[in-house]
Amino acid sequence: MNYVTYGGVTVGLCILMHLIVTWWPGRKALMKDPVKHASRLLPFVASWCYGCLTTLGVGGIVGTAASAALGLSNWLGDVALVWGVGGNVGELAAAPSFVPLTGPGIAMMLILTVVVIAAAKKFSSGSEIKRGAWCGVCLGTSSGVAGFAAVPLAQAANWLGDSVYGAF
């Protein structure tokens, strides 16, 4: 089971804040054409959702990669908190509660993995896609920041999988 420490949440929030600061077009530009500027966030948000889903008990290579990324993020964040500001190591940020993915939901995760990898390679927004997935992995199991998204995302993946595979 995946868990996140305050360090892991901090890494996820740092990624999110970096994106927001580099994306921010300014108040005037945002007021002039909000749809254009908001659409620049779509690759990050979509891959963030994917990253959240990978923390929900997915196994195999995808689950192992997500668990490794979360473990590395926990370690990096804990080191930064201890050496940077004098915090404590390894404190759990949340007691995770998971909505398990069903068989069709897990099949959708495999399809989404292929889509995310292809999109990261094909489109110019590949770095935003990678950062979004990493941010989603870091924040997907935290109850205070973004854990609220895990339940609806898992239910949506299960519903989509049931809809697709129910037709066969």
Side-chain angles (χ1 to χ4, degrees), residues 81-107:
L81 288 174
V82 168
W83 290 97
V85 293
N88 293 325
V89 160
E91 293 183 36
L92 293 181
S97 62
F98 296 101
V99 172
L101 293 173
T102 61
I106 288 176

Side-chain angles (χ1 to χ4, degrees), residues 9-98:
V9 171
T10 302
V11 168
L13 289 174
C14 286
I15 295 168
L16 182 62
M17 293 299 113
H18 180 269
L19 173 87
I20 290 171
V21 168
T22 56
W23 163 82
W24 182 251
R27 184 180 177 280
K28 262 188 174 177
L30 189 59
M31 296 299 283
K32 184 177 179 181
D33 195 358
V35 174
K36 173 187 166 192
H37 294 293
S39 68
R40 288 183 31 223
L41 293 174
L42 287 178
F44 182 89
V45 171
S47 63
W48 182 87
C49 292
Y50 168 78
C52 283
L53 278 173
T54 62
T55 63
L56 297 177
V58 176
I61 293 173
V62 173
T64 302
S67 184
L70 181 59
L72 179 64
S73 298
N74 284 339
W75 181 81
L76 287 172
D78 288 344
V79 167
L81 288 174
V82 168
W83 290 97
V85 293
N88 293 325
V89 160
E91 293 183 36
L92 293 181
S97 62
F98 296 101

Side-chain angles (χ1 to χ4, degrees), residues 135-147:
C135 184
V137 165
C138 290
L139 298 178
T141 55
S142 65
S143 62
V145 178

